[in-house]
Amino acid sequence: MVVGTTIARKGRRMRLFTALWPSDAALRHLTSAVDRLYRDRLAAATAGLRKFRFSGSERWHLTLCFHGDDADLDDVTERLESRVARLLATDPAPPRLRLAGCGTFRGVLWIGVEPETTEDDRALRALVRAAGGDPHGYRAHLTIARWAAGRAARELLTGLFTGYAGPWWQPRELTVVRSDLRESGPEYRIAHRVGVTRASSG
């Protein structure tokens, strides 16, 4: 997988989503928490699951909006830049966030994203709206593990991260990401970056 490579050619239709990436410090903290899991606890929590695996930290991101399997890169980036410019004109402060809590979807283990204040929650939802997503009912999370089949012992699985909370961080940019499906899983490449602070938006 490649993360951080900017796609120079535009005007192409591709599978795209807009994302936030946690700070390096936040990713290191969560990586350390995953590495410290007792093997016996992990084995008990995943005993009924087939092909359970943690993904690499380079894949850990918050999806703000999925644009579809046949999105136009020019259209997505132009809309994003316009919406972010309007947002920065009235509300330049990005949200203060931390990784905290844990939950499951079908086949997915995720870590939650917690705003520090109600203003930070509002600022995060404003970024979701700028990305083209629906801020109502939005649940910010990072997918950190998947399994192919089996019923999760949810309490055991989420209990692996009981009380987990990482360091606070603030995003500096939104990224439009191209996702290509490979046999080994999705490959992500940065297609476009848009700063979400006045200092980084130029």
Side-chain angles (χ1 to χ4, degrees):
M1 177 175 74
V2 178
V3 173
T5 300
T6 300
I7 299 172
R9 182 181 174 185
K10 300 179 72 174
R12 298 172 60 186
R13 306 195 75 85
M14 55 190 71
R15 183 183 180 94
L16 300 173
F17 63 89
T18 296
L20 283 180
W21 301 85
S23 69
D24 290 342
L27 291 177
R28 286 194 300 269
H29 194 277
L30 180 56
T31 298
S32 178
V34 170
D35 290 343
R36 289 197 307 270
L37 288 174
Y38 293 110
R39 295 299 103 181
D40 56 343
R41 292 178 59 212
L42 181 60
T46 61
L49 307 179
R50 186 163 63 88
K51 295 185 178 179
F52 178 92
R53 65 187 184 280
F54 285 101
S55 56
S57 60
E58 72 277 4
R59 295 176 182 247
W60 294 347
H61 65 276
L62 291 72
T63 298
L64 302 186
C65 181
F66 179 64
H67 302 293
D69 292 328
D70 192 31
D72 182 88
L73 180 57
D74 284 325
D75 182 60
V76 170
T77 58
E78 288 170 7
R79 288 175 183 270
L80 180 62
E81 289 183 354
S82 176
R83 290 171 179 148
V84 169
R86 291 198 299 270
L87 178 62
L88 292 180
T90 59
D91 191 5
R96 186 169 161 86
L97 309 169
R98 70 176 179 180
L99 306 180
C102 185
T104 61
F105 299 137
R106 184 175 181 179
V108 165
L109 175 67
W110 52 264
I111 297 294
V113 179
E114 179 182 287
E116 185 174 26
T117 67
T118 55
E119 283 300 305
D120 291 307
D121 181 69
R122 185 190 59 76
L124 174 59
R125 294 180 188 281
L127 291 181
V128 174
R129 187 181 298 107
D134 181 2
H136 303 291
Y138 176 76
R139 177 182 290 180
H141 66 278
L142 279 74
T143 295
I144 63 167
R146 295 180 181 274
W147 58 91
R151 185 171 182 177
R154 187 178 184 280
E155 290 186 2
L156 289 178
L157 197 55
T158 58
L160 296 173
F161 294 92
T162 297
Y164 176 78
W168 296 104
W169 54 280
Q170 288 180 288
R172 295 185 58 81
E173 65 180 14
L174 301 183
T175 58
V176 178
V177 182
R178 173 177 176 171
S179 175
D180 294 310
L181 296 179
R182 309 295 188 205
E183 289 187 4
S184 58
E187 178 183 274
Y188 301 149
R189 287 191 288 170
I190 303 298
H192 194 73
R193 303 172 186 268
V194 179
V196 294
T197 68
R198 285 179 176 169
S200 64
S201 63

